[in-house]
Amino acid sequence: MYSHHLKRHQFAMNMVTTGTVFFFGDMLSQQVVERKGKEHDIERTCRSVTVGSLYSAPVLVFLYNSADKVFGPSRTYLTAIKKIGLLFLLSPLTNIGYVTCNNVLQSKPLDYTINQIKNDVPRIVLTGYLIWLPAHLVLLTVVPLRHRVFFSNLVGVLWTCYLTYVTNTGVRGEVVDH
């Protein structure tokens, strides 16, 4: 059933799936990592779902489809390395986009966003390389095109937990002055 709807409505299905991943990632971050309990920030979770659905999902679908068009659908390791190279070159831009969207939804001033990009994005990008390199090797050599966003969403729950934690707390886990 999922595959059927995914074939017919690739963007919409991936937006729903990614929004769900961002929901669980932020819940995991707030409840397990940050131990917020009843002090859970519902607005933050809603913001995370919104950015995941309306920014991250369309960007991922576009990037994966573009990589297949540029390098072909082959599942060889050489093709996978080329696609991973392209995706990793774009990683800083996609993470800057995430931080920017998240801050726009909070009505943060531009200087706050620029400061967060300077301070958090390099760390986010480096951590992303460590997590996503092995995931993309599997993704681009084994997983069929129509299931790639879903697969990346599985890895993405843990990634989103990290991402929402870093973008909503200070370097040493202290809450940033919002």
Side-chain angles (χ1 to χ4, degrees), residues 2 6 9-22 52-53 55-66 68 87 132 135-136 138-140 143-157 160:
Y2 175 80
L6 185 59
H9 310 286
Q10 186 182 25
F11 274 95
M13 288 297 294
N14 283 310
M15 289 170 75
V16 169
T17 305
T18 304
T20 304
V21 165
F22 274 67
S53 297
Y55 171 74
S56 295
V59 167
L60 286 171
V61 170
F62 175 77
L63 289 176
Y64 291 141
N65 288 342
S66 296
D68 263 22
L87 296 171
W132 289 106
H136 277 101
V138 171
L139 178 88
L140 296 171
V143 180
L145 178 62
R146 69 179 186 272
H147 296 297
R148 288 183 185 167
V149 172
F150 178 74
F151 174 84
S152 70
N153 284 338
L154 294 177
V155 177
V157 169
T160 302

Side-chain angles (χ1 to χ4, degrees), residues 9-152:
H9 310 286
Q10 186 182 25
F11 274 95
M13 288 297 294
N14 283 310
M15 289 170 75
V16 169
T17 305
T18 304
T20 304
V21 165
F22 274 67
F23 172 81
F24 284 110
D26 188 63
M27 293 289 288
L28 185 65
S29 176
Q30 289 193 55
Q31 294 303 316
V32 177
V33 177
E34 300 169 55
R35 300 178 192 263
K36 287 190 170 190
K38 292 180 181 179
E39 300 298 317
H40 186 92
D41 184 350
I42 293 293
E43 286 183 27
R44 174 178 144 182
T45 301
C46 291
R47 198 171 47 250
S48 183
V49 169
T50 301
V51 175
S53 297
L54 299 179
Y55 171 74
S56 295
V59 167
L60 286 171
V61 170
F62 175 77
L63 289 176
Y64 291 141
N65 288 342
S66 296
D68 263 22
K69 286 178 185 170
V70 171
F71 299 113
S74 172
R75 293 185 186 161
T76 66
Y77 283 104
L78 180 59
T79 302
I81 297 299
K82 290 177 185 176
K83 291 176 183 179
I84 289 168
L86 174 66
L87 296 171
F88 276 57
L89 284 173
L90 297 173
S91 178
L93 295 175
T94 59
N95 285 300
I96 287 169
Y98 173 84
V99 167
T100 302
C101 290
N102 190 42
N103 287 339
V104 165
L105 289 176
Q106 295 178 75
S107 301
K108 297 289 184 195
L110 182 59
D111 60 333
Y112 179 90
T113 301
I114 291 169
N115 189 43
Q116 190 173 30
I117 288 169
K118 287 179 185 176
N119 292 325
D120 290 341
V121 169
R123 176 170 44 130
I124 291 168
V125 169
L126 291 175
T127 304
Y129 290 159
L130 294 174
I131 293 170
W132 289 106
L133 176 60
H136 277 101
L137 279 173
V138 171
L139 178 88
L140 296 171
T141 57
V142 178
V143 180
L145 178 62
R146 69 179 186 272
H147 296 297
R148 288 183 185 167
V149 172
F150 178 74
F151 174 84
S152 70

